[in-house]
Amino acid sequence: MDIPFVDIHTHQNGFRPNVVSIRSVRLGKEDIPTSGERFSAGIHPWDCETVGSEWLDSLETLPVAAVGEIGLDYCKPVDRTVQLRRLTAQADLAEKRRQPIVLHCVKAYEELITQMDRYTVPLILHGFIGSSQLAGQLIRKGYFLSFGAALFRSPKTQKALLAVPDERLFLETDEANTTIEEVYRQAAALRNTPIDTLKQSIYKNYKTLFG
């Protein structure tokens, strides 16, 4: 079997040969896929004040593979109480459905970690750009960390990548103008490991969480 690349979080449309992807949908802002591709969905923290509660209700019936991206972003002028309420409502649904949660977090890690401590489903922190110390803290809490295009430009993110064990690692394209293959090549070079070895470990993580 030729092990595929895994793009755990992308806003790019459509299928690609030898790539397994989870399309991310911002409820109320992006269309639900109709082509049968796997997708996650959630009310993004940026949208918490503008997207109505009917979208939260719709999440209960959507055939999502994961709930997200959801989370906290304290750099945006969005009411923090509303962000927190949306986060916990959606995380409660994921816990009820036993589905992974894809998290977005900016300048709110202490609050996010406190709030997410009570959940037992897998937690994926997407687009990680934090320090190696923060990466270690999240790993000890059981999080999976996903890295994207920041690996091409941020020494801090590159260092953090090295702190993540194989069994807690994912890679992604998010909204970047790059391919998942390029992200893998960069991550493999930074970790000094063959791409095939990286593909094998990340695909194993994907199968563990999504079957």
Side-chain angles (χ1 to χ4, degrees):
M1 173 187 174
D2 188 10
I3 296 174
F5 294 91
V6 174
D7 190 347
I8 203 67
H9 180 86
T10 184
H11 292 270
Q12 299 173 5
N13 297 329
F15 294 99
R16 295 188 56 231
N18 202 36
V19 175
V20 173
S21 62
I22 302 279
R23 167 100 171 274
S24 180
V25 176
R26 284 172 65 175
L27 288 178
K29 300 292 183 178
E30 297 175 333
D31 293 335
I32 304 298
T34 59
S35 56
E37 62 186 307
R38 270 189 163 175
F39 69 98
S40 64
I43 299 174
H44 194 285
W46 298 352
D47 307 324
C48 284
E49 292 183 316
T50 58
V51 171
S53 59
E54 69 274 10
W55 285 103
L56 184 59
D57 295 336
S58 76
L59 187 57
E60 296 204 31
T61 59
L62 288 175
V64 297
V67 173
E69 65 188 282
I70 63 176
L72 301 173
D73 192 325
Y74 286 177
C75 279
K76 293 291 182 178
V78 179
D79 186 279
R80 295 182 180 185
T81 301
V82 177
Q83 288 191 52
L84 186 58
R85 186 166 66 245
R86 294 289 200 198
L87 168 64
T88 55
Q90 293 176 96
D92 287 348
L93 177 60
E95 184 81 1
K96 177 183 175 182
R97 293 175 59 161
R98 306 303 305 159
Q99 290 183 311
I101 299 172
V102 180
L103 290 164
H104 170 110
C105 187
V106 179
K107 303 294 185 182
Y109 278 101
E110 183 176 352
E111 181 70 30
L112 183 80
I113 291 170
T114 298
Q115 293 299 323
M116 301 309 292
D117 263 351
R118 69 177 182 268
Y119 297 103
T120 61
V121 295
L123 304 175
I124 304 169
L125 203 297
H126 105 86
F128 187 76
I129 57 172
S131 67
S132 56
Q133 291 79 12
L134 177 58
Q137 180 183 1
L138 291 166
I139 292 301
R140 289 189 293 274
K141 287 281 187 178
Y143 286 67
F144 292 81
L145 301 187
S146 180
F147 294 80
L151 290 176
F152 296 103
R153 60 182 184 270
S154 169
K156 181 176 74 170
T157 306
Q158 293 169 355
K159 185 177 179 181
L161 175 74
L162 304 182
V164 181
D166 291 347
E167 64 271 16
R168 291 289 168 179
L169 178 64
F170 283 111
L171 298 173
E172 64 179 71
T173 57
D174 195 12
E175 297 180 310
N177 185 25
T178 189
T179 67
I180 194 64
E181 291 91 339
E182 291 170 334
V183 177
Y184 267 75
R185 281 193 286 272
Q186 177 71 355
L190 291 167
R191 290 171 73 89
N192 193 27
T193 189
I195 287 181
D196 285 346
T197 301
L198 190 61
K199 287 172 67 177
Q200 186 173 21
S201 60
I202 291 179
Y203 186 65
K204 182 179 180 181
N205 295 342
Y206 172 80
K207 294 295 287 184
T208 298
L209 267 61
F210 298 98

